[in-house]
Amino acid sequence: MSDGPDQQHPHVGEELLEADIRGTVIRRLVVVGIVIAAIMITSYLVPTRGIVDGIESWRAGLGPTFPIIFFICYAVITIFPVPRSAFTFSSGILFTAWVGLAGAMAATMFAALASFIAIRVIGREKVQPYLKQPVVRAIEARLARRGWLAVGSLRFIAACPFSLANYCSALSSVRFWPYTLATLFGVFPGTAAVVLLGHSLTSGPNPWLIGSTVFFFALGIFGLVFDARLPVDDEPPADD
């Protein structure tokens, strides 16, 4: 019986993911320009005081425990294959910039670490059959050939689902602390950019917030470009 396409071409998955990186860089450049222009136009031409008052009234009606409930839901729900973008964006709208960013980062790291530990405890043999999405093989190929460096770079890629990167990292030979640090530095630019983007829509014209959003988007794009230029070893890194 002949080998399947993945056995005949072991690098196909990573080549596809590299193409995703290049495409994501271009898309982010275009999206960042459009988003920043839209924020500036909206902030200066559309009155946002009513939006802010409405959000404040809704949040006050839920009581002082609302921030705790919100970020617990963020942390627990995003352990599962649920996009975290809506939670991250809402963090900027519902809270101050710094509270929203701190809460979003804490919830994100909790979800990433909880996923990693849970998969390691459950075991590869029991989890692997449930991960059949095409992107899984590409992520696994990248992790096998770049180790923990791939964890950080995968966090920059918008096309790479957050939860799948968590699961595949746990199934790989990447250790806990390198995974934790790579995740922390990898998710920060994108998380900060989205939180500040959400906050700028309710805080009115604020050049500092807009500039910070641009900076963190640019930092994420720089990470993508830097990763795309890194050489890829032909052999997987040894697990010390």
Side-chain angles (χ1 to χ4, degrees):
M1 188 168 97
S2 62
D3 293 335
D6 292 318
Q7 284 73 29
Q8 292 176 349
H9 304 285
H11 303 325
V12 168
E14 187 160 356
E15 289 172 355
L16 292 174
L17 199 58
E18 294 295 342
D20 282 341
I21 293 176
R22 291 190 291 270
T24 301
V25 171
I26 296 173
R27 289 194 298 272
R28 282 198 174 188
L29 286 171
V30 174
V31 170
V32 168
I34 294 174
V35 168
I36 298 305
I39 290 174
M40 294 180 69
I41 293 172
T42 302
S43 298
Y44 284 97
L45 299 182
V46 178
T48 58
R49 188 66 256 170
I51 299 175
V52 175
D53 291 342
I55 292 174
E56 291 293 338
S57 176
W58 174 65
R59 184 175 60 181
L62 294 175
T65 60
F66 172 67
I68 298 173
I69 294 173
F70 176 84
F71 287 116
I72 288 177
C73 290
Y74 184 159
V76 173
I77 291 175
T78 53
I79 292 175
F80 304 95
V82 176
R84 69 185 185 96
S85 301
F87 285 100
T88 308
F89 190 73
S90 298
S91 298
I93 294 178
L94 296 171
F95 308 101
T96 64
W98 296 115
V99 170
L101 178 55
M105 283 298 300
T108 296
M109 290 304 299
F110 177 88
L113 299 182
S115 299
F116 186 89
I117 294 172
I119 298 297
R120 286 280 169 99
V121 171
I122 294 171
R124 181 184 184 91
E125 296 76 13
K126 295 181 180 179
V127 176
Q128 187 70 39
Y130 296 96
L131 299 179
K132 298 180 179 179
Q133 296 93 329
V135 72
V136 169
R137 190 172 297 278
I139 295 173
E140 288 182 332
R142 193 176 186 84
L143 286 165
R145 303 184 71 191
R146 289 191 180 175
W148 65 269
L149 287 173
V151 177
S153 65
L154 286 169
R155 302 303 186 182
F156 287 120
I157 305 174
C160 178
F162 173 74
S163 58
L164 284 184
N166 297 337
Y167 305 156
C168 291
S169 296
L171 296 175
S172 73
S173 61
V174 176
R175 294 191 186 87
F176 178 78
W177 286 113
Y179 166 83
T180 300
L181 293 176
T183 297
L184 177 64
F185 289 107
V187 300
F188 181 76
T191 302
V194 174
V195 169
L196 294 176
L197 175 63
H199 189 67
S200 66
L201 294 179
T202 59
S203 62
N206 190 324
W208 184 87
L209 279 178
I210 294 174
S212 298
T213 303
V214 174
F215 171 77
F216 287 117
F217 268 123
L219 188 60
I221 292 170
F222 171 79
L224 282 172
V225 174
F226 179 77
D227 174 76
R229 293 179 177 275
L230 282 175
V232 180
D233 295 333
D234 290 331
E235 298 294 334
D239 186 20
D240 297 335

